[in-house]
């Protein structure tokens, strides 16, 4: 695949992906410790960590990419730790650990299989599937838990980082119908997520003491 963007635009978009998503992860961690609640659904954590592990340690395609995915991997490890610390479940911890281990194995195998099946050494297809999953489950989490672990800043940084990635990947492969569907769905869901977070933030601020 050949990139059809000017070099400067490509650099700025790649920088945007790395920067905005890193800040989003940091904000998730900050809000998680502040609220004593893991702000990322478990399925998203496991999908993220295994994708980052694959692209960092097994199938890296560029040294700078490897550094960025390593940073994301470490940040997601902290988020997973928050999940273990703050999860409230009616069953023993060993059951939780076993469930997480199972999800990690399944996620890794699916990422690896997707990379081989679609000849996708950059992990683009699985990355946008994860992003779509996150967009859906973040909304579900917000509706269930209000603003616990959530913030308007997280919503904005996630959307902008993903939009940068969508533009780059569209320039790489403008013929992919599947990817185009995911770009559009993720953007719509991210806008909806921002509106929902904003509405709840305003309601919280205006709520009588």
């Amino acid at each position: 695949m050949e990139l059809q963007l000017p070099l400067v635009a490509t650099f700025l978009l790649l920088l945007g992906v790395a920067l905005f998503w890193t800040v989003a992860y940091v904000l998730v961690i900050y809000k998680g410790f502040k609220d004593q609640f893991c702000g990322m659904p478990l399925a998203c954590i496991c999908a993220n960590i295994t994708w980052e592990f694959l692209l960092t340690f097994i199938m890296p395609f560029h040294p700078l990419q490897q550094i960025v995915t390593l940073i994301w991997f470490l940040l997601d490890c902290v988020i997973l730790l928050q999940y273990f610390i703050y999860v409230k479940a009616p069953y023993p911890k060993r059951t939780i650990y076993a469930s997480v281990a199972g999800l990690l194995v399944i996620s890794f195998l699916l990422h690896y299989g997707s990379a081989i099946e679609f000849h996708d050494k950059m992990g683009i297809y699985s990355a946008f599937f994860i992003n779509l999953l996150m967009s859906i489950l973040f909304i579900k989490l917000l509706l269930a838990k209000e603003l616990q672990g959530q913030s308007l800043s997280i919503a904005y940084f996630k959307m902008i980082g993903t939009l940068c990635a969508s533009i780059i990947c569209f320039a790489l492969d403008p013929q992919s119908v599947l990817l185009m569907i995911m770009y559009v769905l993720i953007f719509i869901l991210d806008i909806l997520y921002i509106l929902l977070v904003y509405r709840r933030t305003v309601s919280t601020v205006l709520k009588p003491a």
Side-chain angles (χ1 to χ4, degrees):
M1 292 184 289
E2 184 178 349
L3 193 61
Q4 303 296 324
L5 288 173
L7 187 60
V8 174
T10 301
F11 172 77
L12 290 175
L13 288 168
L14 288 172
L15 181 63
V17 175
L19 178 62
F20 288 114
W21 264 104
T22 300
V23 174
Y25 282 136
V26 171
L27 290 174
V28 168
I29 292 170
Y30 169 77
K31 194 69 164 56
F33 283 125
K34 181 180 178 182
D35 295 349
Q36 296 188 350
F37 181 84
C38 181
M40 188 178 292
L42 179 60
C44 301
I45 301 172
C46 293
N48 276 331
I49 282 183
T50 49
W51 183 86
E52 291 149 2
F53 181 86
L54 182 68
L55 270 292
T56 300
F57 301 107
I58 299 177
M59 297 175 60
F61 57 87
H62 191 280
L64 289 178
Q65 161 269 316
Q66 193 172 18
I67 292 171
V68 172
T69 50
L70 175 60
I71 292 170
W72 291 347
F73 173 76
L74 295 174
L75 290 173
D76 268 319
C77 285
V78 176
I79 296 173
L80 180 58
L81 179 62
Q82 286 183 325
Y83 175 82
F84 286 133
I85 293 172
Y86 300 127
V87 65
K88 295 177 181 178
Y91 32 82
K93 282 284 188 180
R94 63 177 179 274
T95 304
I96 296 173
Y97 296 146
S99 300
V100 172
L103 281 175
L104 289 171
V105 171
I106 292 169
S107 298
F108 177 81
L109 292 174
L110 289 175
H111 291 324
Y112 182 76
S114 176
I116 300 301
E117 183 76 17
F118 292 103
H119 307 286
D120 182 23
K121 295 182 179 179
M122 297 171 66
I124 293 174
Y125 285 92
S126 54
F128 278 96
F129 177 78
I130 296 170
N131 218 308
L132 180 59
L133 180 68
M134 291 180 70
S135 296
I136 295 169
L137 294 184
F138 267 46
I139 291 173
K140 182 177 182 293
L141 184 64
L142 178 68
L143 295 175
K145 299 294 183 180
E146 293 294 325
L147 290 172
Q148 282 188 290
Q150 313 293 304
S151 74
L152 200 54
S153 298
I154 294 170
Y156 275 121
F157 280 108
K158 177 194 180 303
M159 184 197 72
I160 298 171
T162 304
L163 185 59
C164 291
S166 298
I167 295 170
I168 293 173
C169 293
F170 176 75
L172 275 171
D173 188 7
Q175 305 302 320
S176 175
V177 176
L178 177 58
L179 287 174
M180 177 58 72
I181 290 172
M182 289 196 285
Y183 303 153
V184 174
L185 287 176
I186 292 167
F187 183 72
I188 292 171
L189 289 169
D190 284 351
I191 292 294
L192 176 60
Y193 179 57
I194 288 172
L195 293 174
L196 289 171
V197 174
Y198 176 77
R199 181 179 177 182
R200 278 159 173 73
T201 302
V202 171
S203 299
T204 301
V205 171
L206 297 179
K207 185 182 295 184

